[in-house]
Amino acid sequence: MSQARTGGTGRPSPEVFRRRRIVVASAAGALVLVIVLLTAFVWPGFARDEPEPQATVTAPVPTPTISPSGRPEDQTAFVKAQPDSVLALALRSVTEDTSWEDDADAVESWQLVYADADGEGATTVQVHAGQWEDDAAATGAYDALVKAAGEPTGEGEVAVDGQATGAYVVTPGSTEGTAVVTWRNGTAVLQATGPADLVEDFYSAYPL
């Protein structure tokens, strides 16, 4: 063995010891790094960039601050099917309207008023609801109403349990800031008139 490696005594020189310590330290450091990487990215994987679960916040459904009223004493089954409230609006009056009976051969037709408060400052939606003998008669009445309502700003199908049972059309109202939603569901035809920023949501929440 050379003098440089043994220091002339048969024992490894300090230089050799230093190199050995460096090699051992490097190997130990590499082993620690491998363990850290495995722990971080394989198990339990705390360093993986995984998306945080998104919390879904659902706003409460608005409810009326006034009680429904105005139902007639002798109600037909069709009138009973009309809701007491829709969103924050409560039923305020129900009156018979024979115009669809006279002009479109409806079996019965009614005017309903929904409001979110009493008095002139209340937000209101008026609903004209009619019942026909069969789907064909209701479809004919619906088509005539849609044609008379003007150029649609929105339209689609009415579906019940995934099955199309009718259609709806949104048209501008006769006064600024209002809109009309006309829809048919089976043998029933309904037309809601109210504020443009409310009446479509009102229609969507209407159970008939």
Side-chain angles (χ1 to χ4, degrees), residues 3 5-6 10 13 25 32 36 50-51 77 86 90 112 119 127 133 135 146 152 156 168 185 192 195 206:
Q3 292 289 328
R5 293 179 60 83
T6 63
S13 68
V32 171
V36 170
E50 296 183 353
V86 181
L112 303 93
V127 177
E133 288 186 359
D135 284 2
V146 168
Y168 76 91
N185 188 355
Y206 208 89

Side-chain angles (χ1 to χ4, degrees), residues 28-82:
L31 179 60
V32 171
L33 179 61
V34 169
I35 293 173
V36 170
L37 291 174
L38 287 173
T39 303
F41 293 97
V42 179
W43 185 89
F46 60 81
R48 285 181 298 203
D49 185 14
E50 296 183 353
E52 292 290 331
Q54 296 294 320
T56 301
V57 179
T58 303
V61 177
T63 55
T65 58
I66 57 175
S67 299
S69 62
R71 287 186 178 272
E73 291 185 3
D74 298 326
Q75 300 182 72
T76 67
F78 183 66
V79 172
K80 289 180 180 179
Q82 310 307 313

Side-chain angles (χ1 to χ4, degrees), residues 70-130:
R71 287 186 178 272
E73 291 185 3
D74 298 326
Q75 300 182 72
T76 67
F78 183 66
V79 172
K80 289 180 180 179
Q82 310 307 313
D84 280 333
S85 63
V86 181
L87 302 178
L89 285 73
L91 181 64
R92 305 305 289 161
S93 66
V94 181
T95 56
E96 188 173 10
D97 184 337
T98 61
S99 60
W100 284 0
E101 299 174 29
D102 298 335
D103 301 335
D105 295 327
V107 174
E108 58 181 298
S109 62
W110 303 83
Q111 287 281 1
L112 303 93
V113 176
Y114 291 84
D116 64 353
D118 292 319
E120 295 182 358
T123 298
T124 62
V125 173
Q126 296 186 12
V127 177
H128 196 169

